[in-house]
Amino acid sequence: MWETGCGFGAAALSSMLASDGLLPQASAATASPVAGSAGPMAIKPPHFAPKAKTVIFLFMYGGPSHIDTFDHKPAMKGMDGKTVDVKTFGRGGHKAGGRIVEPRWDFAPHGECGKMVSTLFPNVAKHVDDIAFLHSMTADSPIHGSAMLMMNSGKILSGSPAMGSWLTYGLGSENQNMPGFVVMLDHTGGPISGAKNWSSGYMPATYQGTVFRTEGNPILDLNPPSDFPPGLQRRLIDSIQDANRRHLGQHVGEEPLASRISSYELAYRMQSAAPEAVDLSDETAETLSMYGVDNPKTQAFGKRCLLARRLAQRGVRFIQLYSGGAHNDDNWDAHGDLEINHNKHAGATDQPIAALLADLKRTGMLDETLVVWGGEFGRQPTAEYANGSGRDHNAYGFTMWMAGGGIKGGISHGTTDELGAAAVENPLHVRNLHATILHQMGLDPNRLSYFYGGLDQKLVGVEHVRPIHEIIA
């Protein structure tokens, strides 16, 4: 199995293999009821009519504080510094109580629905009538690495395929010149657990995510050496492919080799397709300004959001953008000074996210594009240390939101307690989120499976998982 460091090797198998009759007929992918015989990345029929055809996941790495952003807790007003008995579990372990950190930003109602949003997100607040807020999310781990793996792959342990891998495995790709699963990292670096967050796990490397850069070449090591004579690269690839195909013909079912054959061809086609997709020169000054590309504060995430719209237009199936990278205050992990941390990251993402929602809506794409926002968990209502406003991790109750792609707007589902410490009404697990995403893309989450290790593996696990029907239009 290839590692993600192979760059374009992470991309999908193309229909070229099918036309040559080189796909391993006994592979797990072709054995799937949703997979066709035209190649793993050829378009496959969904289980039922989909509401969305693309997912854009805005991942706020580090864990944004729900009670300081979208989960209004008026009962906490005036409680700053008071000691309360509340069970918490985070980086500091299990605790039975602590000092209240009152929300540091004011909330106000927005939209026709009157949704209360903090002043951290004044631009996103203008779009609440298109958003369904999930206020009762829960996860199995309060530790970044395992929590991120769960949010991305449904498991707290490494080795399972990411959600983007499941979608490209189940549905294929609409653009055979581009990868079906693209990841764009923060300019400060990648998240903890690294490439495991977009790995194809036990599936062929065909389905793993491809990292796109917003500066320079979109994909490292994609272009041939500058001194290659015209046509030489094509002849070299043809020669290598001929040898690989002969070997594959004698070893049907050798998936790593099939993936390698495909990646050579896809990489060759991507040499022209990928640079065009990330070229913003044909975008208007108005559009660039709307996304904040002309502002140093919002430029980096603004570019990623604009590129997400461009990739969605070009048929990329799953696009994941990271806000925050590396460690400490380079991401949303506000253990020290909550105000400095969240002002920084919300300030960098609020305008670009609002622009993405507005742009998708004005171009008619929001109806078929599912936008997901959130981190790996939330934050506690109590202080982590004796002094300061820092909050520890909270997997007992946090907020995520979804918009577009057949999701009802202007609603809030589920609640946490009056302090935001834990989900109390309509608690939701990460698996419910995954099931909803698959459902909106036309896939039955309890039916989509991949045979591995003697089991029919599923993104949502072995037990039946219900999509969140209350937010589905």
Side-chain angles (χ1 to χ4, degrees):
M1 189 73 65
W2 278 29
E3 298 295 331
T4 51
C6 295
F8 59 73
L13 273 168
S14 70
S15 58
M16 174 178 287
L17 289 176
S19 64
D20 288 340
L22 296 173
L23 290 176
Q25 297 301 312
S27 72
T30 55
S32 166
V34 299
S37 59
M41 289 308 292
I43 295 178
K44 307 178 185 73
H47 295 144
F48 45 81
K51 296 291 183 69
K53 67 178 185 180
T54 301
V55 176
I56 299 177
F57 194 152
L58 307 171
F59 202 115
M60 307 293 111
Y61 163 49
S65 172
H66 51 296
I67 57 180
D68 293 286
T69 53
F70 302 111
D71 193 2
H72 186 217
K73 297 300 176 186
M76 294 182 71
K77 200 71 174 177
M79 294 184 66
D80 204 44
K82 292 184 178 181
T83 301
V84 294
D85 294 328
V86 56
K87 292 182 180 180
T88 60
F89 180 31
R91 183 178 70 170
H94 290 275
K95 296 181 181 180
R99 172 176 57 88
I100 287 287
V101 175
E102 186 178 314
R104 293 306 197 241
W105 294 268
D106 293 328
F107 280 70
H110 293 272
E112 293 183 7
C113 64
K115 173 63 182 175
M116 299 293 286
V117 178
S118 90
T119 53
L120 271 174
F121 284 97
N123 292 292
V124 172
K126 300 173 184 177
H127 298 274
V128 293
D129 289 331
D130 293 317
I131 295 174
F133 294 90
L134 307 174
H135 289 307
S136 53
M137 291 296 304
T138 65
D140 291 346
S141 172
I143 305 303
H144 291 295
S146 52
M148 290 197 71
L149 289 176
M150 166 158 279
M151 187 60 69
N152 281 314
S153 72
K155 307 290 190 301
I156 61 173
L157 300 177
S158 60
S160 296
M163 183 163 32
S165 301
W166 279 102
L167 286 173
T168 52
Y169 159 69
L171 296 172
S173 176
E174 292 187 336
N175 188 336
Q176 298 299 311
N177 296 324
M178 293 282 287
F181 175 13
V182 168
V183 177
M184 288 182 276
L185 304 177
D186 193 89
H187 63 283
T188 61
I192 197 168
S193 298
K196 294 177 182 179
N197 289 294
W198 50 92
S199 167
S200 58
Y202 44 73
M203 290 182 183
T206 296
Y207 301 110
Q208 66 189 18
T210 298
V211 176
F212 264 44
R213 303 190 306 159
T214 57
E215 301 292 341
N217 290 332
I219 302 174
L220 293 175
D221 303 321
L222 179 64
N223 294 325
S226 58
D227 58 352
F228 261 36
L232 177 59
Q233 182 192 23
R234 181 67 262 178
R235 293 196 298 274
L236 284 173
I237 292 176
D238 288 344
S239 177
I240 294 171
Q241 297 293 65
D242 286 344
N244 282 336
R245 288 178 180 125
R246 288 195 300 272
H247 184 82
L248 185 62
Q250 298 169 4
H251 301 82
V252 175
E254 192 172 326
E255 291 179 348
L257 178 57
S259 294
R260 187 176 299 118
I261 291 173
S262 174
S263 69
Y264 286 153
E265 296 298 339
L266 179 56
Y268 184 77
R269 296 194 298 273
M270 284 171 57
Q271 288 176 359
S272 59
E276 183 277 331
V278 302
D279 182 4
L280 303 183
S281 62
D282 59 349
E283 299 288 348
T284 66
E286 175 190 9
T287 298
L288 295 173
S289 180
M290 179 174 72
Y291 278 89
V293 176
D294 57 354
N295 182 342
K297 184 177 182 180
T298 53
Q299 183 183 65
F301 199 74
K303 277 189 176 181
R304 292 199 287 281
C305 284
L306 179 51
L307 289 178
R309 188 264 286 163
R310 293 175 62 89
L311 292 174
Q313 286 178 312
R314 286 157 177 77
V316 176
R317 185 71 69 187
F318 189 90
I319 307 152
Q320 188 172 48
L321 289 64
Y322 280 90
S323 163
H327 299 287
N328 301 321
D329 283 329
D330 280 338
N331 58 60
W332 292 80
D333 197 20
H335 289 282
D337 192 311
L338 178 72
E339 293 169 83
I340 289 177
N341 179 285
H342 276 33
N343 279 329
K344 172 184 177 180
H345 294 292
T349 60
D350 173 51
Q351 180 183 341
I353 293 172
L356 175 62
L357 293 174
D359 204 8
L360 290 172
K361 194 168 185 177
R362 75 176 182 178
T363 56
M365 294 177 61
L366 188 60
D367 289 341
E368 58 187 23
T369 304
L370 181 60
V371 181
V372 182
W373 179 96
E376 61 268 39
F377 39 56
R379 309 205 78 80
Q380 296 173 3
T382 51
E384 182 171 5
Y385 305 119
N387 299 302
S389 59
R391 304 185 189 278
D392 203 348
H393 312 159
N394 183 1
Y396 289 153
F398 58 98
T399 293
M400 299 185 72
W401 59 253
M402 306 174 77
I407 295 295
K408 293 178 184 177
I411 65 171
S412 295
H413 182 70
T415 63
T416 51
D417 58 46
E418 62 180 7
L419 299 180
V424 293
E425 181 184 1
N426 297 318
L428 301 169
H429 192 273
V430 171
R431 287 186 287 270
N432 297 114
L433 178 80
H434 290 167
T436 306
I437 293 171
L438 293 180
H439 180 276
Q440 296 308 95
M441 295 289 283
L443 295 171
D444 182 343
N446 299 295
R447 176 180 164 195
L448 179 66
S449 65
Y450 186 98
F451 189 77
Y452 173 76
L455 296 173
D456 285 326
Q457 306 283 348
K458 301 173 185 176
L459 172 63
V460 296
V462 296
E463 296 182 359
H464 186 278
V465 178
R466 177 180 180 272
I468 311 169
H469 292 290
E470 292 84 354
I471 70 168
I472 297 174

